Amino acid sequence: MSRERLDPIRREFGERRLVLHYGDVTEAGRLTTLLSQIKPREVYHLAAQSHVRVSFDQPEYTNTVIAGGTLNVVTAVRALEQSLGVRVKIYNAGSSEMFGATAPPQSEGSAFHPRSPYGVSKLAAHWHAVNHRESYGMFIANGILFNHESPRRGEQFVTRKITRAVGRIVCGLQDRLRLGNLDSTRDWGFAGDYVEAMWKILQLDRAEDFVIATGTEYSVRDFLSAAFGSVDLRWQDYVDYDRALERPAEVDRLSGDASKAKRILGWEPATSFAQLVSMMVRHDIGLAKDEAALRSVSRSYGAAE
Ligand code: GDP
């Protein structure tokens, strides 16, 4: 199980403040056992196979983890509530991918039209959450978050793939970058801002669903231009088109209307697109510098042997 993005956080905040337990949302029994040991009052359910392109290759696995996993979580929390006799609030991570082909601006009232097994599975999970809320009066809130990025983003997502490449190109570790469709637009926000919205959603007295977004819309090409431009490079000199990175069905445009979140939660994003891109590029130049230094040490060590 991969923990490389969690371990630095545990080191920073202390292992007593971030305790990890092994488990998998597809294992209903394990979930019930863990919940009865931990006895949480708030559950943030973020587990998923979250890569859209991969979901076309592994649709059944994606559906099992996302739709089946969510059903397991809400069922296990319901059992915990019954055994403890207290309310346990659930945040369920929805996704802007549920809107898919629906034109922007997408809000809580917009029609859903997912365009990938990932989006379809997230929509099934969304309705399991709503159905449990309506059937049993549970506090289950769906956050419909638009793309949220940070230096901790997985490297298979386009933003981080680009900023990692910029860092490595600046340090002479890479000279080409392969990408698929550059025309699609996304509403990219900073994950740190979005986590605050998730927490605010669970502090309400009544569970409600919220779109969390910046309301801005940039294309993959715009992201490339901002990232390469921030180090005075032209992306056109480095990027190759790779047809294999295209998806069988694409979500062309995403841009969310988060006015409900502003009105009820008092939430607004604090980080602009330009700040986000520059934060990620700066971080990844730092990583690439470390990588380059390590390479040169191991080269000189190899030469000395
Ligand atoms: P998504 O919105 O959750 O699918 O986030 P991604 O970061 O995976 O993809 C955002 C957009 O970038 C999509 O429209 C992709 O088709 C497009 N894209 C273009 N090239 C790539 C690539 O090499 N990797 C990924 N992940 N996306 C790419």
Side-chain angles (χ1 to χ4, degrees), residues 96-97 106 146-147 185-187 217 251-256:
S96 53
E97 289 288 319
Q106 295 99 351
F146 282 58
N147 298 50
T185 66
R186 291 291 181 270
D187 179 336
E217 186 179 355
V251 171
D252 293 325
R253 292 184 62 199
L254 288 176
S255 173

Side-chain angles (χ1 to χ4, degrees), residues 48-120:
Q49 185 304 94
S50 66
H51 198 275
V52 173
R53 178 68 193 81
V54 169
S55 78
F56 285 97
D57 297 329
Q58 294 191 284
E60 192 179 341
Y61 172 73
T62 302
N63 191 68
T64 301
V65 172
I66 296 179
T70 301
L71 185 56
N72 288 343
V73 169
V74 294
T75 305
V77 169
R78 181 163 174 247
L80 178 72
E81 282 191 323
Q82 285 169 340
S83 76
L84 293 182
V86 297
R87 186 160 76 163
V88 179
K89 293 179 172 180
I90 304 177
Y91 170 87
N92 178 51
S95 167
S96 53
E97 289 288 319
M98 300 188 307
F99 294 122
T102 297
Q106 295 99 351
S107 68
E108 294 81 1
S110 300
F112 293 124
H113 185 153
R115 296 268 289 165
S116 63
Y118 170 81
V120 172

Side-chain angles (χ1 to χ4, degrees), residues 126-167:
H126 173 89
W127 285 116
H128 278 309
V130 172
N131 183 244
H132 264 66
R133 182 168 73 206
E134 292 176 351
S135 304
Y136 308 118
M138 294 172 70
F139 186 113
I140 310 179
N142 293 294
I144 307 177
L145 272 53
F146 282 58
N147 298 50
H148 38 292
E149 317 295 312
S150 85
R152 293 197 182 110
R153 185 55 139 157
E155 294 181 22
Q156 71 275 35
F157 290 87
V158 80
T159 54
R160 189 79 198 291
K161 187 171 170 181
I162 293 170
T163 60
R164 275 294 266 159
V166 169

Side-chain angles (χ1 to χ4, degrees), residues 203-304:
Q203 307 319 304
L204 295 175
D205 291 328
R206 220 189 71 188
E208 286 195 51
D209 302 335
F210 289 93
V211 158
I212 302 297
T214 69
T216 61
E217 186 179 355
Y218 292 94
S219 65
V220 175
R221 194 176 276 104
D222 293 332
F223 194 100
L224 273 172
S225 185
F228 279 81
S230 73
V231 291
D232 293 326
L233 294 176
R234 271 169 39 90
W235 65 268
Q236 292 89 339
D237 296 334
Y238 300 92
V239 173
D240 297 314
Y241 170 69
D242 186 343
R243 196 188 159 83
L245 295 166
E246 294 258 3
R247 291 142 190 216
E250 178 65 282
V251 171
D252 293 325
R253 292 184 62 199
L254 288 176
S255 173
D257 170 3
S259 47
K260 179 181 175 188
K262 185 174 178 190
R263 196 174 70 248
I264 296 180
L265 304 172
W267 179 87
E268 275 187 286
T271 313
S272 70
F273 176 75
Q275 286 168 327
L276 174 65
V277 175
S278 121
M279 175 200 313
M280 292 177 72
V281 169
R282 264 186 286 119
H283 176 271
D284 285 341
I285 289 176
L287 268 191
K289 278 185 179 159
D290 292 348
E291 206 180 323
L294 206 66
R295 277 198 190 186
S296 98
V297 169
S298 56
R299 252 200 316 272
S300 49
Y301 184 71

Side-chain angles (χ1 to χ4, degrees), residues 4 7 282:
E4 73 262 12
D7 284 335
R282 264 186 286 119

